[in-house]
């Protein structure tokens, strides 16, 4: 076990379930087999329908999960950062990945054997329950995403994305946000064409007194932004989602 | 146990896991406590965030799952029919429902105690694994739905909906489809305004030689329809999804 990998497994957000619910034998083997890897921008971890042997925990950087249409366009399903896990749900899909995964910048990750997790989920009811909870949380997130695609317009979807990045969602003070990744990826994540994104951002700035300089955004009026976006949503700001 | 409820539990699609993986004690109690209920159109089973005590299996009719925004609009998350289960994922959401559920026409269902399923999932690893598989399948469906919302235009999304209803997807012959529920609900299910739906259906008819009379649709050229829709999708027709 590398100290780094052990530390990351213990402290990562979604994988607390590994250390919290994993049996001692499982954890011992897991720590032994954990590999810390460094990858470059655009590194493809796997493609949808590849045979799955590993799952990953992000330590640093951003990873996008996507599906690609026959005519070559990409739909970004999720963009993940430190503490998040991907590839593990191949366990329940006959050991093939249900999406593709690519590094969107230089990234550091832990690579872990999927078979080990499979055995543990099958043998340890606590791990199975923890995994069910994680999957249910994800399902609710996806339901929320579909709700937003249905009920929110493009400026509201961008505003919602920004509200989730506020360092102090409970404060009324003006706040600065750095976009976590480039605008093209933000627009893909929100299911918009870059041109739609630009127009919608322009409208959002006008409606909610937002200031944007490159990747720096200043939310001058949190209430105004929240009112503009969250009336078209099922949950009240700050929603914590 | 009513014979009807027992029969439905044994034969329903998604709940095969109950009879296949349930322990004998669990099944005995389940059969005893199963209630067959009949509800009218617009019956609300529960609202999102209600405390959850039951889950349901649809025997006959259609049920929509939805989320409602603060300003009163509905996003339809799913529309379910015979053999499908809903409400069961409240198990992993602190026993509150993560969506609302309403009958879209007269419907017959089995109502079952959620606590019983909770105990069985916690005590029986086979049931937990079966539930993980079901949830994973649903996650992939939702990912696919997000992909379609991103990459398919409105006529393609309607065409995709119709292709899934073909009685003989492997045949090249012209085929008739009855829309399973009214067009307003179809448009909500696809995340479209009714006017967008009408315009998109008009375009689809022209592009793919579709004939539409009320709720009756004739697909005269299956290949043409599949080519029009499925090039903007990640899976090849017939996809079985």
């Amino acid at each position: 076990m590398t100290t780094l990998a052990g530390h990351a497994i213990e402290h990562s957000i979604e994988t607390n379930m590994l250390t919290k619910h994993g049996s001692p034998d499982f954890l011992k083997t897991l720590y032994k087999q954990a590999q810390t890897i460094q990858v470059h921008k655009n590194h493809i971890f796997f493609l949808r329908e590849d045979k799955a042997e590993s799952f990953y925990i992000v330590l640093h950087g951003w990873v996008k999960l996507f599906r690609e249409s026959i005519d070559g366009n990409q739909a970004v399903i999720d963009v993940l950062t430190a503490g998040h896990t991907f590839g593990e749900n191949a366990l329940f899909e006959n050991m093939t990945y249900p999406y593709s995964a690519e590094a969107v910048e230089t990234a550091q990750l832990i690579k872990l054997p999927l078979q080990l997790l499979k055995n543990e989920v099958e043998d340890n009811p606590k791990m199975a329950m923890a995994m069910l909870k994680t999957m249910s949380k994800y399902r609710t997130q996806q339901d929320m995403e579909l709700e937003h695609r249905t009920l929110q317009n493009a400026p509201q979807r961008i505003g919602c994305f920004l509200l989730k990045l506020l360092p102090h969602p409970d404060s009324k003070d003006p706040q600065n946000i750095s976009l976590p990744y480039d605008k093209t990826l933000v627009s893909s994540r929100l299911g918009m064409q870059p041109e739609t994104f630009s127009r919608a951002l322009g409208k959002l700035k006008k409606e909610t007194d937002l200031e944007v300089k490159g990747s720096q955004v200043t939310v001058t009026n949190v209430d105004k932004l929240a009112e503009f976006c969250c009336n078209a949503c099922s949950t009240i700001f700050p929603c914590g989602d």
Side-chain angles (χ1 to χ4, degrees), chain A residues 57-110:
Chain A
I57 305 170
V58 186
L59 292 181
H60 181 77
W62 293 89
V63 172
K64 74 171 172 188
L65 310 184
F66 65 98
R67 299 171 63 99
E68 202 161 41
S69 66
I70 290 163
D71 56 14
N73 292 312
Q74 264 188 21
V76 174
I77 299 301
D78 211 344
V79 184
L80 308 174
T81 189
H84 287 262
T85 309
F86 62 94
E88 78 288 359
N89 39 335
L91 280 190
F92 316 109
E93 303 285 342
N94 299 320
M95 299 302 265
T96 60
Y97 294 112
Y99 43 71
S100 306
E102 179 183 336
V104 296
E105 55 181 53
T106 304
Q108 198 176 35
L109 304 97
I110 299 171

Side-chain angles (χ1 to χ4, degrees), chain A residues 143-159:
Chain A
D143 283 353
M144 172 82 99
E145 183 72 28
L146 274 178
E147 178 202 305
H148 286 182
R149 298 275 177 113
T150 308
L151 300 181
Q152 288 189 327
N153 58 33
Q156 287 169 330
R157 293 223 301 281
I158 298 174

Side-chain angles (χ1 to χ4, degrees), chain A residues 20-233:
Chain A
K20 205 168 163 187
H21 302 288
S23 64
D25 278 358
F26 163 74
L27 289 175
K28 207 171 138 190
T29 317
L30 191 77
Y31 287 152
K32 250 190 223 155
Q33 300 193 10
Q35 274 180 276
T36 307
I37 60 168
Q38 183 97 22
V39 298
H40 289 291
K41 186 177 170 165
N42 299 335
H43 172 82
I44 300 277
F45 296 97
F46 49 78
L47 293 176
R48 196 172 73 83
E49 296 188 338
D50 277 358
K51 192 173 157 15
E53 289 177 353
S54 309
F55 71 106
Y56 300 82
I57 305 170
V58 186
L59 292 181
H60 181 77
W62 293 89
V63 172
K64 74 171 172 188
L65 310 184
F66 65 98
R67 299 171 63 99
E68 202 161 41
S69 66
I70 290 163
D71 56 14
N73 292 312
Q74 264 188 21
V76 174
I77 299 301
D78 211 344
V79 184
L80 308 174
T81 189
H84 287 262
T85 309
F86 62 94
E88 78 288 359
N89 39 335
L91 280 190
F92 316 109
E93 303 285 342
N94 299 320
M95 299 302 265
T96 60
Y97 294 112
Y99 43 71
S100 306
E102 179 183 336
V104 296
E105 55 181 53
T106 304
Q108 198 176 35
L109 304 97
I110 299 171
K111 185 175 173 179
L112 291 156
L114 198 55
Q115 187 61 45
L116 195 65
L117 183 61
K118 186 169 194 278
N119 298 344
E120 180 70 3
V121 172
E122 284 168 357
D123 296 345
N124 178 355
K126 279 186 187 164
M127 185 62 92
M129 275 308 284
M131 205 131 196
L132 276 163
K133 276 186 191 164
T134 306
M135 286 184 70
S136 181
K137 196 178 146 205
Y138 188 84
R139 175 186 165 151
T140 303
Q141 269 175 16
Q142 293 288 75
D143 283 353
M144 172 82 99
E145 183 72 28
L146 274 178
E147 178 202 305
H148 286 182
R149 298 275 177 113
T150 308
L151 300 181
Q152 288 189 327
N153 58 33
Q156 287 169 330
R157 293 223 301 281
I158 298 174
C160 173
F161 181 82
L162 295 175
L163 285 169
K164 286 176 190 154
L165 295 173
L166 282 177
H168 309 289
D170 291 311
S171 162
K172 307 285 181 197
D173 296 335
Q175 293 174 56
N176 296 317
I177 298 166
S178 294
L179 291 183
Y181 33 82
D182 72 51
K183 282 184 191 164
T184 314
L185 185 56
V186 176
S187 65
S188 301
R189 175 70 191 87
L190 298 173
M192 295 175 205
Q193 295 297 322
E195 317 84 71
T196 311
F197 180 82
S198 288
R199 274 198 307 273
L201 185 60
K203 186 160 193 287
L204 184 68
K205 278 157 69 179
K206 219 163 64 181
E207 296 276 351
T208 66
D209 311 333
L210 213 63
E211 289 164 19
V212 183
K213 273 184 196 154
S215 67
Q216 299 301 307
V217 179
T218 305
V219 179
T220 55
N221 190 333
V222 175
D223 278 349
K224 202 168 182 177
L225 182 61
E227 200 193 336
F228 180 79
C229 304
C230 304
N231 282 347
C233 177

